[in-house]
Amino acid sequence: MRPGPAGLLRQEREVIRNMAKSTHYRWADIQPEAMNSLVNRQYLTGVKTMLARIELKKGAHVPMHQHFHEQISHTLEGALKFVLEEGEVIVRGGDILCIPPNAPHEVFSLEDSVALDIFNPPRQDWIDGDDAYLRGAPEEPAK
């Protein structure tokens, strides 16, 4: 006999409680990955979310791409120009940009910059190393 809705919720909570344990990380302990000569990336994944720390030197370019993941990009330092379907936006230190799923976007680093990107769900293409759009991306002058 199957448990009723309350029983299912209790079982689901128990599975999540047993599966997800709190984990403490330090960026200093996560080896930066050189995507190209101007972009370094670090990331960690939770159960349903990914957090990435991206360092972009002035002149770095992330080519136009899109993905089914929701993305929240928080520029900590510097200035990044995002090219979106609805236009261009300069995101400076302290600014946050929410990019909906499947929205085409590209990024130009106007200054040496550091950003935190949150993705839901985690970027399996990054985990699998199937992110050629970023690896070795052409370096272009900042626009």
Side-chain angles (χ1 to χ4, degrees), residues 65-131:
H65 65 286
Q66 66 186 63
H67 40 76
F68 68 88
H69 312 80
E70 180 176 31
Q71 178 177 349
I72 299 174
S73 186
H74 178 194
T75 300
L76 299 175
E77 304 171 13
L80 300 171
K81 179 173 79 171
F82 284 78
V83 179
L84 310 161
E85 283 186 322
E86 56 270 24
E88 297 179 356
V89 62
I90 306 295
V91 182
R92 299 186 184 283
D95 293 350
I96 299 167
L97 178 66
C98 294
I99 304 171
N102 301 307
H105 56 284
E106 74 180 307
V107 182
F108 295 89
S109 185
L110 304 177
E111 304 172 5
D112 288 353
S113 301
V114 177
L116 294 178
D117 287 340
I118 300 168
F119 296 97
N120 184 342
R123 296 285 308 263
Q124 191 63 45
D125 58 333
W126 286 17
I127 294 167
D128 294 342
D130 186 25
D131 48 6

Side-chain angles (χ1 to χ4, degrees), residues 13-72:
R13 282 194 300 268
E14 187 62 29
V15 167
I16 290 170
R17 194 175 10 256
N18 290 333
M19 223 175 74
K21 300 292 183 193
S22 297
T23 307
H24 176 241
Y25 295 95
R26 293 170 28 102
W27 287 122
D29 297 334
I30 300 173
Q31 181 67 37
E33 180 180 11
M35 304 310 297
N36 58 56
S37 62
L38 297 179
V39 178
N40 286 321
R41 171 179 79 190
Q42 297 163 283
Y43 67 85
L44 56 97
T45 59
V47 176
K48 295 184 178 183
T49 308
M50 173 182 273
L51 175 63
R53 181 178 182 277
I54 314 286
E55 293 180 352
L56 304 102
K57 295 290 185 191
K58 182 178 180 178
H61 174 227
V62 178
M64 184 66 74
H65 65 286
Q66 66 186 63
H67 40 76
F68 68 88
H69 312 80
E70 180 176 31
Q71 178 177 349
I72 299 174

